[in-house]
Amino acid sequence: MSRQTEFTKSINVVTTEMHTAGDPVRIAVSGYPDIIGDTILDKRRYVREHLDHLRRLLIQEPRGHKDMYGVIPVKSDIKEADMAVLFMDSEDYAFMCGHCTIALGKYAVDHGIVKGVSPETTVKIQCPCGLVTAHVEYQDGKSGTVRFESVPCFSFAADLIVNLEGYGDIHYDISFGGCFYAYTDITQFGLDIKSSPIADIITAAMKLKRAITETVTLAHPENNELAFLFGVMFYSGSLGNCSEEVCVYADGQVCRNPCGSGCCGLLAVLYHKGLIKEGEVKTFVNSKTQSSFNGKIVKQIKLKNTLAVIAEISGKAYYTGECTFFCEQDDPQPSFLVQ
């Protein structure tokens, strides 16, 4: 590129581009300054306080969009991990992302971070919520389907009710699947999970999220830094028979796939209510895109005094390209977010 000398040298980030069941994954493979911190949560705080301009540059328009998702590889602080990562979206830095984890499993094997072994290669990934184990199908030198085992997931509160102006009494559950989510039947809002405009679904989700944030105090048995409501997952009709859903997270972002961490939390809800058995496979389908993940409960565990489960989600990721992002010195709008 002949004009390279005109670009700001301090902002020059190379990425690998992927998608998992339709949801984007932008992995920053080089160009980030050193990320300081003894633990992964320290590193998350550091990028929020000192390097957030890079998140906005990579994730928000004009280089990204409101629903873009990104990954920053960092140095692990636990010996069991093969790699460690921070997740970023257009609002902030998430503690967990299931669809990124699926992509990272494939990426780690394909790029030699972990040597590929047939028929399946194990990749241990340190996420801000904890250590996640991915298992990557590997045949004839090629990676395939990835399944990951979650951090401990648990039902936090069941059968809650909140009155929302314009909608009336809304029944919902709260569960942790790496992040906290609320789960609710979309028909209570007068909406259809397939045909209602996504703008109306976002409006309902954000109204419920605000109401829960104002009225419910979340808690995590091991780390209350994780204790905030990340998203709302809608299903339709009976929870036990739900087959399609749509997830709205962060500041009104929408998943293109069924949402890996959201599905982990949903499995915990189903298990808590006796609606699914250990080892029973359930297929989750995004109602808008029809992309799917398979999920199941691997085992039941104790998380201090909380009954928890290890959930497993499986899906496929694909490469879409490689990019080098930079910013011209006189660019008046290096990033912005369309509201």
Side-chain angles (χ1 to χ4, degrees), residues 20-94:
T20 304
D23 237 333
V25 182
R26 175 165 289 166
I27 305 172
V29 297
S30 68
Y32 252 79
D34 289 339
I35 296 174
I36 298 169
D38 293 331
T39 70
I40 196 165
L41 292 177
D42 290 338
K43 293 179 174 70
R44 179 179 178 271
R45 285 187 285 270
Y46 183 84
V47 296
R48 293 181 86 196
E49 295 171 5
H50 301 283
L51 300 175
D52 199 52
H53 62 288
L54 293 178
R55 176 190 64 85
R56 298 192 302 271
L57 187 88
L58 293 173
I59 302 300
Q60 296 180 0
E61 295 190 32
R63 297 163 189 82
H65 54 81
K66 187 169 184 177
D67 301 326
M68 175 60 69
Y69 228 102
V71 175
I72 312 166
V74 296
K75 185 177 180 181
S76 174
D77 56 85
I78 56 175
K79 63 181 181 180
E80 301 93 338
D82 297 305
M83 63 187 306
V85 296
L86 303 175
F87 302 116
M88 53 184 174
D89 56 49
S90 61
E91 182 192 42
D92 201 1
Y93 299 86

Side-chain angles (χ1 to χ4, degrees), residues 165-176:
E165 183 179 354
Y167 299 108
D169 285 347
I170 300 297
H171 297 250
Y172 66 96
D173 301 285
I174 299 176
S175 185
F176 181 82

Side-chain angles (χ1 to χ4, degrees), residues 306-320:
T306 300
L307 176 64
V309 295
I310 300 299
E312 180 186 282
I313 302 295
S314 63
K316 292 195 75 172
Y318 300 88
Y319 296 101
T320 59

Side-chain angles (χ1 to χ4, degrees), residues 262-309:
C263 288
C264 289
L266 181 53
L267 284 166
V269 173
L270 293 171
Y271 187 79
H272 174 78
K273 294 190 171 188
L275 299 173
I276 193 171
K277 297 177 181 179
E278 186 176 310
E280 180 182 347
V281 177
K282 187 171 182 64
T283 298
F284 300 101
V285 179
N286 184 296
S287 64
K288 294 298 185 181
T289 66
Q290 294 300 296
S291 64
S292 65
F293 290 153
N294 287 329
K296 66 179 181 181
I297 300 296
V298 176
K299 61 182 176 180
Q300 176 181 300
I301 64 169
K302 276 280 190 178
L303 185 65
K304 291 195 173 178
N305 294 323
T306 300
L307 176 64
V309 295

Side-chain angles (χ1 to χ4, degrees), residues 37 51 110 153 169 191 224 318 322 331:
L51 300 175
D110 293 343
C153 304
D169 285 347
L191 299 173
N224 264 336
Y318 300 88
E322 297 177 343
D331 187 344

